[in-house]
Amino acid sequence: MILTGKARLAGVVGWPISHSKSPRLHGYWLENLSIDGAYLPLAIDPVHFEETLRGLKNAGFQGVNVTVPHKEAALKFCDEVDPLARRIGAVNTIVFKNGRSFGSNTDAFGFIENLRQNSTHLDFGTAKVVVLGAGGAARGVIVALQDAGVSEVLLVNRTKSRSEALADDLSTDLSSGQGSVQNWSQNRKIQVCEWEKRNEILSGADLLVNTTSLGMAGQPPLELDLSALPLNAVVTDIVYAPLITPLLEMARSRGNQIVDGLGMLLHQARPGFQAWFGEKPEVTPELREFVLDA
Ligand code: ATR
């Protein structure tokens, strides 16, 4: 990589950052598109978050991605935040322009684009979706599903109070008219289900999403009996290490279509790259191989 004095700069801000795949991902696009630019891993201690972002902005950076643990701080930092990011409560992409910071959240976009690219028969408009988990990741996924206009969301979490709070929160926004969600009418509800009923509520589902950390390398597998899940349902996991989680393996072996979580990471990067470097990047099989190959 040889830069000129006009090179465009961006990066990812996290703490720690050494595990991040984003520099490799953006680096692939920069090289393939022959762009005079660089995307850097930036390890920033939370106590220095705001001063560092101001410094990057003043240094002429185009913007940054923001990852754990800074996503909520990024929302507070930005001068303007798009309604979807506000609804999710987290910013993962910042664009600096004319001395101002514009925040958005592309995780929801990444989640839906990954499904659109890799599932063959999912019709969002009629889909009944079961979401497992009620943490920060579930929040982004549910907002994405609402925005995609799915017909029903069943939310199930080990700690029911957490799923109730999340369902309440994402419904309240809608009824107050504050949400950005275009396609989710106010009479639709997020239905909260008991963790003990997680097997039986799979009957009639068109899409099953795991947003819990279960199945991730080093974590126990998710204990789920898929017998009631229709065979034409799509199963997706936002965990991508391992790429094929025990849940995806189980779903695939009984004949369900599966969509792994790596695509979400790849697709969520597209809007930021386009805003900072001015070209539209694509998610290809070669890119997947390249990112996995690290
Ligand atoms: P994130 O922001 O990545 O979603 P999180 O907020 O820590 O992370 O949420 C982790 C999710 O995995 C939660 O839904 C959590 O369930 P609880 O709310 O009951 O904690 C779920 N999870 C983690 N370990 C679990 C386990 N052993 N059994 C069931 N669910 C688990």
Side-chain angles (χ1 to χ4, degrees):
M1 172 186 63
I2 308 277
L3 302 176
T4 74
K6 294 182 191 147
R8 295 180 178 215
L9 301 177
V12 55
V13 177
W15 183 255
I17 203 63
S18 54
H19 64 285
S20 174
K21 292 186 184 296
S22 293
R24 193 168 165 84
L25 160 58
H26 285 267
Y28 177 94
W29 283 329
L30 286 168
E31 186 150 320
N32 272 264
L33 295 165
S34 304
I35 290 173
D36 182 18
Y39 181 100
L40 308 172
L42 301 162
I44 309 299
D45 185 315
V47 297
H48 298 306
F49 178 74
E50 292 218 349
E51 60 179 293
T52 304
L53 280 215
R54 272 193 295 276
L56 293 171
K57 185 173 64 174
N58 293 338
F61 270 59
Q62 304 295 317
V64 287
N65 279 131
V66 180
T67 187
V68 180
H70 300 307
K71 290 186 182 186
E72 286 86 15
L75 186 130
K76 293 200 190 87
F77 172 83
C78 287
D79 302 301
E80 281 182 41
V81 173
D82 87 5
L84 195 78
R86 200 165 282 292
R87 188 163 162 73
I88 295 171
V91 157
N92 78 336
T93 304
I94 301 179
V95 174
F96 300 134
K97 204 169 182 185
N98 303 327
R100 291 175 65 76
S101 308
F102 299 87
S104 60
N105 189 311
T106 64
D107 287 332
F109 169 84
F111 174 75
I112 294 293
E113 285 295 296
N114 184 33
L115 283 171
R116 284 198 208 284
Q117 188 180 43
N118 296 302
S119 66
T120 50
H121 54 267
L122 193 57
D123 175 0
F124 286 105
T126 58
K128 174 176 167 182
V129 187
V130 174
V131 176
L132 302 169
R139 207 178 162 93
V141 163
I142 293 173
V143 169
L145 291 168
Q146 290 178 313
D147 213 26
V150 301
S151 145
E152 249 182 278
V153 174
L154 276 61
L155 176 59
V156 56
N157 191 51
R158 176 182 58 178
T159 311
K160 194 175 178 201
S161 55
R162 240 182 141 191
S163 40
E164 283 171 339
L166 183 58
D168 266 6
D169 195 24
L170 292 181
S171 306
T172 312
D173 254 359
L174 282 180
S175 49
S176 66
Q178 297 300 307
S180 68
V181 173
Q182 307 291 319
N183 299 318
W184 182 266
S185 68
Q186 293 189 9
N187 52 12
R188 287 190 235 180
K189 283 261 181 301
I190 299 164
Q191 285 179 54
V192 173
C193 308
E194 303 284 338
W195 183 243
E196 292 66 34
K197 301 235 168 84
R198 65 192 181 283
N199 297 330
E200 59 200 78
I201 60 167
L202 298 178
S203 74
D206 301 295
L207 173 65
L208 168 63
V209 188
N210 176 43
T211 76
T212 74
S213 44
L214 298 172
M216 195 183 281
Q219 298 282 330
L222 171 66
E223 281 180 26
L224 197 63
D225 178 350
L226 295 182
S227 312
L229 185 71
L231 281 177
N232 64 358
V234 176
V235 179
T236 190
D237 203 324
I238 64 158
V239 170
Y240 60 82
L243 193 58
I244 303 298
T245 59
L247 169 68
L248 293 182
E249 187 58 61
M250 189 164 58
R252 181 166 65 183
S253 68
R254 69 191 288 277
N256 289 98
Q257 187 167 60
I258 62 166
V259 178
D260 67 55
L262 181 65
M264 177 175 173
L265 173 80
L266 304 181
H267 282 283
Q268 64 75 33
R270 285 169 43 206
F273 186 92
Q274 192 176 353
W276 304 318
F277 300 113
E279 297 221 26
K280 222 173 173 168
E282 278 183 25
V283 173
T284 58
E286 293 73 31
L287 173 66
R288 275 180 64 92
E289 288 305 312
F290 181 79
V291 170
L292 281 175
D293 208 18

